[in-house]
Amino acid sequence: RCRARCAPWPDFDLGRGIVKLPKKVPPASAVNWKIGYARVSTQDQNLSMQQQALEEFGCVRIFQEKLSGAKAKRPELDRLWRELRPGDTLVVWKLDRLGRNLRDLLNRIHELEQRGVRFVSLRDNIDTQTPVGRLLFAIIGAIWCNRCKSGSAR
């Protein structure tokens, strides 16, 4: 997809992940795309439950990976990250799908906020555009800072 928001092109499974194209591609002028990210830790696990939830929420693209979240290199997440634009919404099934640990998760959420990208976690019922969602992340961030100061953070 070009920077001018052309419709997505077909992607192929090269063993690193699969990008599921929507049944109905939004017009190139569409803004505020909902983009999903689904991940399972092993090749034996199934992404279908996450994929279904993301589709029901209205995601126009879903990036999928089958590898451990503890790995620093997650190619499909990196591709998704490059495609996000201000006004988009990044949707995950659960918080632990996005971050390797709490620090990584908070850094990612902070970067999304700086870029003007909304974040939604379906299972955790978190939406960073709502006051409750912002409050929750402020509390989590405060807890993390307290743990860092006491030396007990990972």
Side-chain angles (χ1 to χ4, degrees):
R1 198 171 57 165
C2 72
R3 298 229 183 250
R5 288 264 181 206
C6 298
W9 61 83
D11 287 295
F12 303 98
D13 179 7
L14 299 175
R16 292 179 299 241
I18 301 168
V19 176
K20 182 175 181 357
L21 293 178
K23 293 175 179 74
K24 181 180 175 188
V25 176
S29 62
V31 293
N32 302 330
W33 283 27
K34 292 179 183 175
I35 300 174
Y37 177 67
R39 183 186 57 77
V40 291
S41 299
T42 67
Q43 292 293 326
D44 298 335
Q45 293 175 314
N46 192 330
L47 287 160
S48 62
M49 184 169 50
Q50 292 180 50
Q51 181 180 331
Q52 181 181 356
L54 295 169
E55 287 173 354
E56 288 173 3
F57 190 75
C59 292
V60 296
R61 286 195 80 181
I62 298 173
F63 291 79
Q64 302 177 14
E65 284 188 306
K66 288 190 171 190
L67 72 140
S68 172
K71 295 192 181 292
K73 293 273 186 192
R74 292 185 276 168
E76 290 304 305
L77 181 59
D78 293 341
R79 281 184 60 204
L80 176 152
W81 214 255
R82 287 190 301 268
E83 288 201 21
L84 288 171
R85 303 289 178 259
D88 285 346
T89 300
L90 172 57
V91 185
V92 296
W93 186 62
K94 283 176 49 178
L95 284 173
D96 65 355
R97 303 296 88 194
L98 183 63
R100 295 188 324 257
N101 54 43
L102 184 57
R103 181 187 319 200
D104 184 46
L105 178 64
L106 290 172
N107 288 339
R108 287 186 181 277
I109 299 300
H110 179 72
E111 183 180 338
L112 290 172
E113 187 175 42
Q114 296 297 312
R115 293 173 60 183
V117 176
R118 175 183 172 197
F119 174 73
V120 174
S121 174
L122 299 175
R123 266 309 277 287
D124 304 300
N125 202 22
I126 294 173
D127 181 343
T128 57
Q129 277 194 338
T130 66
V132 173
R134 287 190 299 272
L135 175 63
L136 180 60
F137 271 101
I139 292 169
I140 291 171
I143 292 169
W144 177 254
C145 287
N146 188 39
R147 290 182 69 202
C148 288
K149 288 177 185 174
S150 69
S152 62
R154 289 199 315 184

